[in-house]
Amino acid sequence: MSEANPITFAESLRTVLARYIATTLPISRRYPRLGREFRELLNREQLVQGPYVEALPDFENAIVRASVNRLSSGYFVDPQWARQLSDYANSKRVVDQPQKMREIAAAARKIPPSFFQPVRPMSCSHFAFVAEVMVPAAEKAHAKGVKLDFYFPPIPLATYPVFETRDSLKTAGVDETIFSQLMSFHRCAIIALDRLSREGVKVHAVDTDQSITAHLRYYKDTVHLMDEDKNQRILQDIKGGKYLVTVASLNRYEALLSNQIIANYHRAAR
């Protein structure tokens, strides 16, 4: 289904409404001056306001496609995603992709000195996603009696230097490293969700599990874990509370992950 141009649609709607109003209030041709003044007044009226365009992330459309696909096939998945996941599942591991490995090595050589400095927390106002998406989702889940687990995914330790080379990840007007920005986002999420922890809303720091993050052989790109056994184990460990992080353990979590990343960098540099 093609998407309508909102500006064209608004203009067309205004024309249709004006024509409709004119036909419901007919003025005899014997009164041309009255008819002319009526049309002038009608043209000055704001019959249509807008257009107002709501910006929605791409996944909203994907959810619609997935819902339609469930009606036809019984599977709640976007067919386009299914094809991409199939191609991704059949791709090589990162360690078997020379170009990816060269990218990782090059990023490590360019890492800025600020990367090794302690994380400086940023204002949570930079992370609207926490207040506008995560917290409302948690509150709705609680209202329905649903327990909710958020988790920080196990990004490979070798990938954090790569993040620093990508301008697309940088926040405008912010000089902090990408890692500092990421950790500030995590900090804000943990603090915001902590008040709902007694209601079954928990946050889990899976990104500190070195048995996974220190090994690129479990990944097929530089971010996403694609090892089924490891993903199953993560679910069990989340259930058991292994990765649970709260406001009380927030500083320990930040220090642990920072030390893991720096230690991994020095090991790779040797």
Side-chain angles (χ1 to χ4, degrees), residues 38-76:
F38 172 76
R39 287 191 296 273
E40 290 176 355
L41 287 172
L42 184 59
N43 288 334
R44 289 201 295 267
E45 284 295 316
Q46 188 176 13
L47 301 177
V48 177
Q49 294 185 340
Y52 299 108
V53 181
E54 182 179 9
L56 294 175
D58 289 342
F59 65 76
E60 296 289 352
N61 289 331
I63 289 175
V64 172
R65 292 194 296 267
S67 298
V68 172
N69 191 56
R70 180 167 59 180
L71 294 176
S72 61
S73 69
Y75 295 99
F76 184 75

Side-chain angles (χ1 to χ4, degrees), residues 43 57 131 146 148 150 191 197 200 204 220 240 242 249 270:
N43 288 334
V146 176
L148 191 60
F150 291 94
I191 293 172
S197 59
H204 306 269
K220 294 194 175 182
K242 177 180 178 179
S249 60
R270 287 201 297 266

Side-chain angles (χ1 to χ4, degrees), residues 19 64 80 94 101 104 110 126 136 160 204 234 237 258:
R19 187 185 304 124
V64 172
Q80 183 177 353
V94 170
M101 296 304 293
I104 292 171
K110 298 177 182 177
H126 287 287
Y160 291 96
H204 306 269
I234 285 172
D237 287 341
S258 296

Side-chain angles (χ1 to χ4, degrees), residues 233-268:
R233 198 200 79 196
I234 285 172
L235 292 177
Q236 293 302 315
D237 287 341
I238 287 176
K239 182 179 180 181
K242 177 180 178 179
Y243 307 113
L244 185 65
V245 59
T246 64
V247 170
S249 60
L250 177 53
N251 290 335
R252 291 196 300 274
Y253 157 62
E254 286 186 351
L256 175 60
L257 184 55
S258 296
N259 290 336
Q260 288 179 354
I261 293 170
I262 293 173
N264 184 78
Y265 168 80
H266 288 304
R267 280 196 301 270

Side-chain angles (χ1 to χ4, degrees), residues 83-102:
R83 288 192 297 271
Q84 292 174 346
L85 287 173
S86 177
D87 293 341
Y88 187 70
N90 294 324
S91 64
K92 295 180 180 179
R93 300 176 303 170
V94 170
V95 293
D96 297 322
Q97 299 181 49
Q99 183 177 352
K100 291 289 186 184
M101 296 304 293
R102 285 195 294 270

